[in-house]
Amino acid sequence: RRTAQSSLEGPSAASGALASEMAAVTALSELLSDPCSDVRRAVVVGLGCLGPAVQSCAKALAAVLQGDKCEEARIAAAEVLGRLLPSWSSDEARFGAVALAEALKDNCPHVCARAMSALGSVARRGASEAISAAGSPAVELLDDGDRFVRARAAAALGRLGPAYESGRVAALLAARSCDRQEHEDVRASAERALLHMAGPSGALRALESAFSESRVPSDMFKRRRIGDWCTYVSHNR
């Protein structure tokens, strides 16, 4: 009798938990328009701690990411979308991925970078919508004026991996890697992305081709960069 009663209580308990979660999501989502930016940011973080019911807030979270005046709230929205998208149905996942892609051109470079990182993480977890949504903006941001954004763009392309690999993308990453005027962390991100996308042999060919087409005057610099890259490959096989 006790076993039968437990089996009946199980679905009821699960249904009750889902109902409570839905109620919490509804109550929190109403606070996304609160005039206090700290409240809005806290609400976004709180939504990220809930379960499947948050999927119903996809549009609300996207609206925060795309239009909230508080940079910290937009950053939090990007983080939450990146973490939750893989568990959502295809429509909501695609909607969230598009919102993240549009956020890549946010006026705040930190929001842009966080959205890029989120899309890359989602892509690594198998969300094909994120791959198509992130690819083109990521390539464009390789030329962004902020080195922080350029490094994140290269890192996101690396996270997209072979699924987004093409000769053009490999050439762009290689060109960024061998640019002696580029900041070191951007070159390192480009090299790692190139290795992940094209594999050791393909990446080395792209790097050598980029050097041959560049106007780098110092052969020593070229040899050092290729030597450093080969060392990196040998330690990360």
Side-chain angles (χ1 to χ4, degrees):
R1 182 181 301 173
R2 187 173 303 169
T3 302
Q5 182 178 359
S6 298
S7 65
L8 291 174
E9 289 177 350
S12 177
S15 176
L18 180 59
S20 297
E21 187 176 285
M22 286 293 296
V25 168
T26 300
L28 284 173
S29 63
E30 292 176 354
L31 294 173
L32 287 174
S33 58
D34 192 276
C36 177
S37 60
D38 288 339
V39 171
R40 297 196 303 274
R41 179 187 177 279
V43 168
V44 172
V45 173
L47 286 170
C49 296
L50 297 176
V54 180
Q55 182 171 260
S56 64
C57 283
K59 291 185 178 181
L61 288 170
V64 173
L65 178 57
Q66 294 171 323
D68 198 289
K69 295 181 179 179
C70 175
E71 294 176 358
E72 294 299 324
R74 300 201 304 277
I75 290 171
E79 291 177 341
V80 170
L81 284 170
R83 187 167 66 252
L84 299 182
L85 275 179
S87 64
W88 290 357
S89 64
S90 59
D91 288 342
E92 280 76 10
R94 188 179 301 109
F95 187 90
V98 169
L100 283 170
E102 292 176 352
L104 299 179
K105 297 182 181 180
D106 193 283
N107 290 330
C108 172
H110 300 289
V111 175
C112 179
R114 196 58 57 91
M116 181 72 71
S117 179
L119 277 169
S121 297
V122 170
R124 289 189 66 181
R125 294 165 68 182
S128 59
E129 294 85 0
I131 294 177
S132 60
S136 296
V139 170
E140 291 179 8
L141 287 176
L142 287 175
D143 292 325
D144 192 88
D146 189 301
R147 70 176 178 86
F148 179 75
V149 176
R150 293 196 303 276
R152 287 284 187 166
L157 284 168
R159 291 189 179 101
L160 296 182
Y164 196 72
E165 193 275 334
S166 69
R168 173 176 173 268
V169 175
L172 290 171
L173 288 170
R176 185 61 60 188
S177 173
C178 73
D179 183 357
R180 68 181 308 177
Q181 303 300 321
E182 182 56 273
H183 197 277
E184 181 61 31
D185 62 351
V186 179
R187 294 203 301 262
S189 291
E191 288 171 0
R192 287 191 293 269
L194 188 58
L195 176 62
H196 190 208
M197 271 193 164
S201 60
L204 184 57
R205 285 195 301 271
L207 192 62
E208 290 176 335
S209 176
F211 272 129
S212 68
E213 295 176 3
S214 69
R215 297 180 179 180
V216 178
S218 172
D219 288 337
M220 183 178 295
F221 175 78
K222 296 179 183 179
R223 289 194 298 271
R224 189 180 79 238
R225 293 305 296 168
I226 291 180
D228 289 346
W229 189 86
C230 290
T231 300
Y232 173 81
V233 170
S234 66
H235 290 160
N236 290 274
R237 285 183 180 276

